[in-house]
Amino acid sequence: MPDMDGFKLLEHVGLEMDLPVIMTSVDGETSMVMKGVQHGACDYLLKPIRMKELRNIWQHVFRKRIQEVKDIESHEGLEEIQMMGNSMEQSDDGYLFCGADLISGKKRKDADNKQDDRHYGDPYYVKKARVVWTVELHQKFVKAVNQFGFDKVGPKKILDSMGVPWLTRENVASHLQYRLYLSRLQKENKLKASFGGMKQWDISKDTAGNVCLQISSNASRNIVTNGSSGICGSKVPIKNVDSKICVEDMKIASVQMAEPKEALIGDITDPQKSSNSRTGLNHSFGQIGLDVKYEPKILTQYSWTEVQPVQYSIIIIIIIIFFFI
DNA sequence: TACCGAATAT
DNA sequence: AATATTCGGT
């Protein structure tokens, strides 16, 4: 454009074409950015442009539509431009891009992130929806995990195996981490159980993949659940909670087995039903965990594998064997 | 670069 | 409590 610079063009477009215009330049100088905005640019992207930024530009069109509607009622288009200008300045004052930055392409990253922040001031900034781990989703997750084996999974594998297109690796990673965290908590509880309280049994795999029995107790769970309760609030982190059965525990268990039975059996329903019967959309796990009445279910929920229905027959068999010996 | 787990933020 | 994001590492 021999006789016109970008700004001039911008003005023309603004006057004649009524389009949202995004400027792009290698020049990140505040004054330049401001100038662009003042001349009517709705955004100013620094080159090289990255996909992240590109993905968001549709919002300008969207915003424009909204704005048009708004303008009919009240007049406040100015405010927005000012906001953009401000945040733009913000993103600049710590990070002026000089040629070296752009060439190296390395330091650019921080600055980009700053640029992303800009959107938070944007009333039409769309937040990514939170993933809700519904029972179905979690079951897919569990399935995937089991498919590979406990210790060998990574988020990526799980993600691929789950075959849920909109899910990201980060989503899975986060969930995985959380589930792992929960099962660690569970183990802590089991450990505490050995200090007394009602005991009940649970089958799960230890890290080696062996099936082993573990204990959990009402008392200890309550303590952890409302961690502030003064009696025994301190969480004592103890390793190797992965309890192999010891003989004493076994005795206790067999004694206890007699009476809580009905309650327990009644609770061995599949997680799906139990959670659906409650608050529908809520995350099935954990929520239930707070409910003391549903206590026995917690164990079912937290365990990775869904072998629960077999649980008690196995326990009984083991007990019988034990008595034989 | 793709991926991971831990830590931290929301 | 449950999910997202960031960070430092392989």
Side-chain angles (χ1 to χ4, degrees), chain A residues 24-309:
Chain A
T24 79
S25 168
V26 291
D27 191 349
E29 204 73 38
T30 305
S31 58
M32 283 299 142
V33 179
M34 285 306 291
K35 197 172 171 190
V37 172
Q38 277 160 2
H39 280 72
C42 63
D43 206 346
Y44 190 110
L45 303 181
L46 290 179
K47 292 179 185 173
I49 300 168
R50 314 178 77 221
M51 270 314 280
K52 226 178 181 178
E53 299 164 323
L54 220 47
R55 262 191 229 118
N56 284 329
I57 66 175
W58 62 269
Q59 292 177 45
H60 292 295
V61 177
F62 178 69
R63 167 177 18 202
K64 195 160 167 297
R65 290 286 154 75
I66 298 273
Q67 196 60 45
E68 283 164 4
V69 173
K70 250 188 186 172
D71 279 346
I72 295 174
E73 311 153 7
S74 62
H75 210 72
E76 42 176 55
L78 214 69
E79 200 179 284
E80 200 176 349
I81 293 176
Q82 279 169 352
M83 276 175 59
M84 282 185 60
N86 286 342
S87 47
M88 195 94 61
E89 245 175 345
Q90 235 178 14
S91 79
D92 250 354
D93 54 21
Y95 287 89
L96 280 183
F97 309 118
C98 60
D101 281 355
L102 293 169
I103 291 166
S104 75
K106 174 73 165 95
K107 293 168 198 162
R108 178 67 205 278
K109 197 159 190 181
D110 296 23
D112 272 342
N113 292 341
K114 291 265 171 176
Q115 249 197 350
D116 284 348
D117 289 348
R118 170 189 53 199
H119 291 288
Y120 295 129
D122 185 338
Y124 299 105
Y125 173 67
V126 267
K127 260 187 167 177
K128 265 183 275 172
R130 286 193 114 197
V131 171
V132 177
W133 284 86
T134 59
V135 180
E136 300 83 36
L137 203 55
H138 179 66
Q139 279 173 347
K140 282 185 185 175
F141 170 84
V142 171
K143 224 177 188 178
V145 170
N146 286 338
Q147 187 180 335
F148 292 101
F150 262 163
D151 15 335
K152 312 208 71 176
V153 276
K156 187 67 195 308
K157 273 193 196 172
I158 300 177
L159 176 64
D160 294 341
S161 165
M162 285 177 69
V164 181
W166 46 269
L167 214 57
T168 73
R169 196 174 54 82
E170 280 77 16
N171 292 140
V172 176
S174 180
H175 190 63
L176 180 62
Q177 183 179 14
Y178 187 57
R179 297 324 291 195
L180 252 34
Y181 163 74
L182 285 185
S183 59
R184 246 186 302 126
L185 267 192
Q186 191 187 349
K187 284 179 187 175
E188 255 181 47
N189 288 347
K190 278 166 193 157
L191 177 96
K192 285 189 176 169
S194 59
F195 292 123
M198 303 244 307
K199 302 204 172 168
Q200 37 183 97
W201 293 84
D202 184 27
I203 298 183
S204 65
K205 290 178 185 171
D206 65 11
T207 40
N210 305 318
V211 175
C212 69
L213 291 173
Q214 296 173 319
I215 321 163
S216 167
S217 96
N218 261 322
S220 67
R221 182 174 301 281
N222 289 341
I223 289 166
V224 170
T225 309
N226 51 46
S228 51
S229 85
I231 307 177
C232 184
S234 65
K235 295 185 184 178
V236 196
I238 307 180
K239 316 162 202 173
N240 218 354
V241 195
D242 229 354
S243 50
K244 308 286 177 196
I245 319 163
C246 76
V247 178
E248 296 150 52
D249 285 337
M250 202 53 158
K251 280 175 189 159
I252 298 168
S254 52
V255 172
Q256 300 271 337
M257 220 45 221
E259 37 92 25
K261 208 188 289 179
E262 348 78 32
L264 289 179
I265 290 173
D267 275 322
I268 311 178
T269 66
D270 70 319
Q272 178 119 26
K273 282 179 206 158
S274 52
S275 75
N276 282 350
S277 67
R278 306 180 101 236
T279 35
L281 267 179
N282 269 339
H283 317 282
S284 46
F285 309 95
Q287 299 256 347
I288 294 176
L290 294 176
D291 199 341
V292 180
K293 192 174 150 200
Y294 285 73
E295 153 70 12
K297 219 178 280 176
I298 297 165
L299 297 172
T300 323
Q301 309 288 9
Y302 281 178
S303 80
W304 286 95
T305 60
E306 244 109 1
V307 286
Q308 300 308 330

